[in-house]
Amino acid sequence: MSLLDVQNISVSVDDKKVLDNLSLKIGAGETHVLMGPNGAGKSTLGNILMGNPVYTLNSGKIYFDGKDISEDSTDKRAKAGLFLSFQNPLEVPGISLESFIRSSIQQRTGERVKLFQFQKELKANMELLNMDASYARRDLNVGFSGGERKKSEILQLLMLKPSLAVLDETDSGLDVDAVRTVSKGVQEYQKNQNGGLLIITHSTRILESLHVDYTHILVKGKIVKTGDASLVDEINRDGFDRYLEEA
């Protein structure tokens, strides 16, 4: 049984169809990469998987861990083990990064967080991501640079330990060193969790040190090609023109 089973979904935003009869399966422990030109619908897929109410599921079904979640709210999907990182993480004044993560873990597990163990794990993961310890006490993303916001997202990924993580353009706007650090965090998730990964990306720098099982090309709302990691190299070499012509 697949961890995620997307069956023939069509999705619209403001009455404009963005995804058309799209199907996708992701197994536990698998890493999938989704690539495509601007406007292809990549971020729409991430948002509809997470239940963003701005996006309308017109037809098809989404199954997660064997359960139909097509109509579930975002918070229910998060509690079930879905995680979505954002291209542009929002500022949340009034709640510290540490408090946000701690509260999220409690909501996800339904259990009280053991403070000593939590702080020990938080410290270790922040060191892995080269994050200054002071960021834990700062309001979530407030005054964070673009790179620190992305590290904050990966820190949440490592602490929450979701069953499936969708990383939407996590490497966008990052310099080479920051991409390496973020990639290191994703590697840690791959190593220690049997969860699935769907990495949505334009740039492939984040993939250089990651194991990739499947690569999908999305054009005009449809997956037009699925292959292994070598498909990433093809796109880097030849671009999307061939697939745009065929779509």
Side-chain angles (χ1 to χ4, degrees):
M1 181 181 69
S2 298
L3 178 62
L4 177 73
D5 187 0
V6 179
Q7 298 183 358
N8 306 111
I9 63 169
S10 292
V11 178
S12 61
V13 183
D14 297 329
D15 296 324
K16 178 184 177 183
K17 182 182 282 190
V18 183
L19 298 180
D20 184 14
N21 201 36
L22 183 148
S23 295
L24 176 67
K25 290 185 178 183
I26 299 177
E30 291 180 352
T31 296
H32 291 238
V33 173
L34 184 68
M35 304 178 71
N38 288 329
K42 301 185 299 298
S43 293
T44 295
L45 178 58
N47 277 283
I48 200 67
L49 291 178
M50 206 66 219
N52 187 330
V54 172
Y55 299 78
T56 302
L57 181 64
N58 299 312
S59 60
K61 294 288 185 181
I62 301 171
Y63 293 90
F64 182 64
D65 205 14
K67 179 189 174 187
D68 184 356
I69 62 167
S70 307
E71 303 299 326
D72 284 359
S73 60
T74 298
D75 65 309
K76 287 183 178 180
R77 299 185 196 207
K79 287 178 182 178
L82 270 170
F83 176 94
L84 173 66
S85 74
F86 296 97
Q87 290 187 39
N88 300 297
L90 298 175
E91 293 185 357
V92 184
I95 181 170
S96 70
L97 173 59
E98 180 177 356
S99 296
F100 177 79
I101 294 174
R102 188 177 171 193
S103 176
S104 297
I105 293 173
Q106 289 183 170
Q107 289 294 319
R108 168 143 159 63
T109 63
E111 300 175 359
R112 186 175 180 179
V113 174
K114 296 178 180 178
L115 185 58
F116 176 78
Q117 182 60 35
F118 167 79
Q119 290 182 333
K120 180 181 177 182
E121 189 174 350
L122 183 69
K123 181 175 182 290
N125 283 322
M126 291 186 76
E127 288 176 353
L128 176 76
L129 296 170
N130 295 325
M131 291 185 73
D132 189 285
S134 64
Y135 278 85
R137 300 183 294 274
R138 292 175 58 176
D139 286 359
L140 180 60
N141 294 329
V142 175
F144 286 25
S145 68
E148 295 299 340
R149 290 188 185 204
K150 297 299 178 74
K151 289 181 184 180
S152 167
E153 295 269 280
I154 300 302
L155 178 63
Q156 293 166 46
L157 168 69
L158 293 173
M159 295 296 294
L160 285 167
K161 304 178 178 68
S163 302
L164 176 67
V166 181
L167 307 183
D168 187 6
E169 303 285 0
T170 300
D171 52 352
S172 66
L174 300 183
D175 62 30
V176 173
D177 290 335
V179 169
R180 286 180 183 144
T181 300
V182 166
S183 181
K184 189 176 179 182
V186 177
Q187 273 185 295
E188 188 72 9
Y189 172 79
Q190 282 184 318
K191 183 172 67 176
N192 293 325
Q193 301 296 318
N194 194 37
L197 266 173
L198 176 60
I199 301 175
I200 300 169
T201 184
H202 276 296
S203 164
T204 57
R205 293 178 301 168
I206 194 173
L207 306 176
E208 291 175 1
S209 57
L210 300 178
H211 171 76
V212 174
D213 295 293
Y214 298 96
T215 305
H216 311 278
I217 306 301
L218 186 68
V219 176
K220 298 179 182 178
K222 297 180 180 181
I223 292 178
V224 296
K225 176 76 173 180
T226 293
D228 56 21
S230 65
L231 189 53
V232 174
D233 297 328
E234 178 196 313
I235 295 302
N236 280 336
R237 183 181 66 248
D238 303 328
F240 297 110
D241 288 349
R242 168 188 166 192
Y243 298 104
L244 288 168
E245 292 168 2
E246 294 175 356

PDB file of all heavy atoms in Angstrom, residues 180 183 204-210:
ATOM      1  N   ARG A 180      23.443  23.856   0.880  1.00  0.00           N
ATOM      2  CA  ARG A 180      24.124  22.676   1.426  1.00  0.00           C
ATOM      3  C   ARG A 180      23.615  22.350   2.829  1.00  0.00           C
ATOM      4  O   ARG A 180      23.413  21.191   3.180  1.00  0.00           O
ATOM      5  CB  ARG A 180      25.634  22.914   1.465  1.00  0.00           C
ATOM      6  CG  ARG A 180      26.295  22.840   0.093  1.00  0.00           C
ATOM      7  CD  ARG A 180      27.785  23.075   0.214  1.00  0.00           C
ATOM      8  NE  ARG A 180      28.429  23.084  -1.095  1.00  0.00           N
ATOM      9  CZ  ARG A 180      29.447  23.863  -1.420  1.00  0.00           C
ATOM     10  NH1 ARG A 180      29.933  24.697  -0.520  1.00  0.00           N
ATOM     11  NH2 ARG A 180      29.982  23.807  -2.619  1.00  0.00           N
ATOM     12  N   SER A 183      20.079  21.001   2.578  1.00  0.00           N
ATOM     13  CA  SER A 183      20.165  19.648   2.023  1.00  0.00           C
ATOM     14  C   SER A 183      20.621  18.653   3.087  1.00  0.00           C
ATOM     15  O   SER A 183      20.145  17.518   3.150  1.00  0.00           O
ATOM     16  CB  SER A 183      21.123  19.628   0.835  1.00  0.00           C
ATOM     17  OG  SER A 183      21.209  18.338   0.264  1.00  0.00           O
ATOM     18  N   THR A 204      18.162  22.448  -9.009  1.00  0.00           N
ATOM     19  CA  THR A 204      18.391  21.075  -8.555  1.00  0.00           C
ATOM     20  C   THR A 204      19.575  20.981  -7.598  1.00  0.00           C
ATOM     21  O   THR A 204      20.032  19.890  -7.286  1.00  0.00           O
ATOM     22  CB  THR A 204      18.644  20.152  -9.762  1.00  0.00           C
ATOM     23  OG1 THR A 204      19.758  20.653 -10.523  1.00  0.00           O
ATOM     24  CG2 THR A 204      17.427  20.070 -10.652  1.00  0.00           C
ATOM     25  N   ARG A 205      20.039  22.128  -7.102  1.00  0.00           N
ATOM     26  CA  ARG A 205      21.197  22.115  -6.208  1.00  0.00           C
ATOM     27  C   ARG A 205      20.927  21.326  -4.939  1.00  0.00           C
ATOM     28  O   ARG A 205      21.806  20.640  -4.425  1.00  0.00           O
ATOM     29  CB  ARG A 205      21.604  23.543  -5.845  1.00  0.00           C
ATOM     30  CG  ARG A 205      22.149  24.358  -7.008  1.00  0.00           C
ATOM     31  CD  ARG A 205      22.485  25.763  -6.565  1.00  0.00           C
ATOM     32  NE  ARG A 205      21.317  26.444  -6.028  1.00  0.00           N
ATOM     33  CZ  ARG A 205      21.364  27.605  -5.360  1.00  0.00           C
ATOM     34  NH1 ARG A 205      22.520  28.191  -5.150  1.00  0.00           N
ATOM     35  NH2 ARG A 205      20.266  28.166  -4.909  1.00  0.00           N
ATOM     36  N   ILE A 206      19.692  21.393  -4.442  1.00  0.00           N
ATOM     37  CA  ILE A 206      19.353  20.703  -3.205  1.00  0.00           C
ATOM     38  C   ILE A 206      19.391  19.187  -3.372  1.00  0.00           C
ATOM     39  O   ILE A 206      19.508  18.436  -2.413  1.00  0.00           O
ATOM     40  CB  ILE A 206      17.953  21.145  -2.696  1.00  0.00           C
ATOM     41  CG1 ILE A 206      17.761  20.701  -1.235  1.00  0.00           C
ATOM     42  CG2 ILE A 206      16.851  20.606  -3.581  1.00  0.00           C
ATOM     43  CD1 ILE A 206      16.499  21.219  -0.602  1.00  0.00           C
ATOM     44  N   LEU A 207      19.316  18.720  -4.626  1.00  0.00           N
ATOM     45  CA  LEU A 207      19.255  17.282  -4.888  1.00  0.00           C
ATOM     46  C   LEU A 207      20.632  16.632  -4.990  1.00  0.00           C
ATOM     47  O   LEU A 207      20.722  15.397  -5.000  1.00  0.00           O
ATOM     48  CB  LEU A 207      18.494  17.028  -6.194  1.00  0.00           C
ATOM     49  CG  LEU A 207      17.097  17.633  -6.315  1.00  0.00           C
ATOM     50  CD1 LEU A 207      16.539  17.362  -7.714  1.00  0.00           C
ATOM     51  CD2 LEU A 207      16.166  17.080  -5.250  1.00  0.00           C
ATOM     52  N   GLU A 208      21.679  17.441  -5.077  1.00  0.00           N
ATOM     53  CA  GLU A 208      23.004  16.915  -5.400  1.00  0.00           C
ATOM     54  C   GLU A 208      23.492  15.859  -4.412  1.00  0.00           C
ATOM     55  O   GLU A 208      24.188  14.924  -4.792  1.00  0.00           O
ATOM     56  CB  GLU A 208      24.005  18.066  -5.507  1.00  0.00           C
ATOM     57  CG  GLU A 208      23.756  18.943  -6.735  1.00  0.00           C
ATOM     58  CD  GLU A 208      24.660  20.158  -6.777  1.00  0.00           C
ATOM     59  OE1 GLU A 208      25.498  20.304  -5.854  1.00  0.00           O
ATOM     60  OE2 GLU A 208      24.542  20.968  -7.713  1.00  0.00           O
ATOM     61  N   SER A 209      23.142  15.985  -3.146  1.00  0.00           N
ATOM     62  CA  SER A 209      23.605  15.013  -2.149  1.00  0.00           C
ATOM     63  C   SER A 209      22.475  14.133  -1.611  1.00  0.00           C
ATOM     64  O   SER A 209      22.650  13.452  -0.604  1.00  0.00           O
ATOM     65  CB  SER A 209      24.281  15.747  -0.981  1.00  0.00           C
ATOM     66  OG  SER A 209      23.396  16.679  -0.400  1.00  0.00           O
ATOM     67  N   LEU A 210      21.313  14.152  -2.293  1.00  0.00           N
ATOM     68  CA  LEU A 210      20.164  13.366  -1.844  1.00  0.00           C
ATOM     69  C   LEU A 210      19.934  12.164  -2.750  1.00  0.00           C
ATOM     70  O   LEU A 210      20.191  12.218  -3.951  1.00  0.00           O
ATOM     71  CB  LEU A 210      18.894  14.224  -1.820  1.00  0.00           C
ATOM     72  CG  LEU A 210      18.895  15.455  -0.908  1.00  0.00           C
ATOM     73  CD1 LEU A 210      17.583  16.207  -1.064  1.00  0.00           C
ATOM     74  CD2 LEU A 210      19.112  15.066   0.546  1.00  0.00           C
TER      75      LEU A 210
END
